[in-house]
Amino acid sequence: MDKTQVWDKVITTDSKKNRIDFKELWEYREMALVLVKKNFIASYKQTILGPAWAFINPFVTSIVFTFIFGNIANLSTDGIPQQLFYFCMILFWGYFSGCLSSTSNTFLSNAYLMSKIYFPRFIMPIISVISNFISFGIQFLLFILMYIFYLLIGANIHIEPTILLFPLFFLQFILLSLGLGSIFASITIKYRDIGTVIGFFIQLWMYATPVAYSSSVIPSSLYFIYHLNPVTNILEWVTYSLFGVGNPSVGFLIYSIIISIIIFFIGLRFFKKTEKTFIDII
């Protein structure tokens, strides 16, 4: 009897393989879809309102922002209806921060699965991106209804042709969150308390970004420093595209694209280096 075995996959720890094997990721697409479905169901399982929470969370938060930042602090939204502005910014920031937070916990939250079977480890951050996008899509439906309502009552808002650049904006969110998240994930393996710091960091980052206020309130002396934040530039273009308000910079948009790409590849290098030993560390 011929005992020769033919292997269709060879798992190695090739230190030179610091790149994404897109072909391999595609081979595991069915597994990814199953896990995306599992994550979505788990998010709303054993809840009273179920997926309705996807609407409730940003809507209630936008009401709180309207009351605190719009009415009490009286921060400008550049003529955009406050409720609509805050809901929009919370929606887009929520997608970015959700991807960043879930990617940062990739190794810890999926250690049980990664230790049992082989699959391309980078599929887990991608699953986070897809899962968060599904929640974003549900919330965006409510935003569309709100947008139409304000148009009907005569709000001075209009869509600009730059809305066609939305795939580019989302690509930047994805690259930036995957890059930073991979770096954080590699660090939290050794230092668990960094996970708490990451949550605090994301919260501070939000206040350094035009989510609770329009970027027009920033003094001209801080304009350059403020726009070193790549998410600021993305959200300014989102605001301009959806409401026709503001004067976003093409130069800073290009800068944010370059920074997002650089951080992504740095994060990928951290990820590929850590995935080989993280089971031993945990």
Side-chain angles (χ1 to χ4, degrees), residues 30 52 80 83 137 139 147-148 186 234 256 272 281:
E30 291 184 5
I80 304 170
Q83 182 75 34
Q139 296 163 356
Y147 192 92
I148 294 174
S186 302
I234 301 172
S256 66
K272 299 296 288 185
I281 298 174

Side-chain angles (χ1 to χ4, degrees), residues 82-244:
Q82 292 180 348
Q83 182 75 34
L84 186 63
F85 173 82
Y86 289 124
F87 188 89
C88 178
M89 293 300 101
I90 290 168
L91 189 61
F92 282 90
W93 171 260
Y95 176 69
F96 168 71
S97 62
C99 292
L100 175 56
S101 179
S102 54
T103 303
S104 300
N105 294 315
T106 292
F107 288 125
L108 295 179
S109 59
N110 297 290
Y112 72 96
L113 185 61
M114 293 181 175
S115 63
K116 295 182 182 298
I117 62 173
Y118 172 78
F119 57 89
R121 305 311 190 201
F122 201 71
I123 204 171
M124 300 312 296
I126 292 177
I127 288 171
S128 298
V129 168
I130 297 174
S131 298
N132 280 285
F133 190 78
I134 292 174
S135 296
F136 173 87
I138 295 173
Q139 296 163 356
F140 195 71
L141 293 176
L142 179 57
F143 171 76
I144 292 175
L145 294 176
M146 292 176 62
Y147 192 92
I148 294 174
F149 169 77
Y150 280 102
L151 281 176
L152 293 176
I153 65 175
N156 186 24
I157 55 175
H158 59 275
I159 295 176
E160 294 289 338
T162 51
I163 196 171
L164 297 176
L165 295 177
F166 262 42
L168 175 62
F169 303 151
F170 274 103
L171 179 60
Q172 290 180 74
F173 278 143
I174 292 170
L175 293 179
L176 195 57
S177 60
L178 287 180
L180 286 174
S182 297
I183 295 172
F184 292 150
S186 302
I187 297 174
T188 53
I189 288 297
K190 293 184 178 179
Y191 310 102
R192 303 296 177 86
D193 55 341
I194 296 297
T196 303
V197 176
I198 291 172
F200 183 64
F201 167 74
I202 293 175
Q203 192 69 22
L204 286 180
W205 194 352
M206 186 192 77
Y207 290 111
T209 307
V211 176
Y213 54 85
S214 168
S215 58
S216 62
V217 305
I218 300 301
S220 57
S221 58
L222 298 176
Y223 180 86
F224 180 79
I225 296 176
Y226 182 68
H227 284 81
L228 291 179
N229 174 2
V231 184
T232 290
N233 304 306
I234 301 172
L235 290 184
E236 281 189 340
W237 278 96
V238 168
T239 303
Y240 176 75
S241 300
L242 288 173
F243 306 116

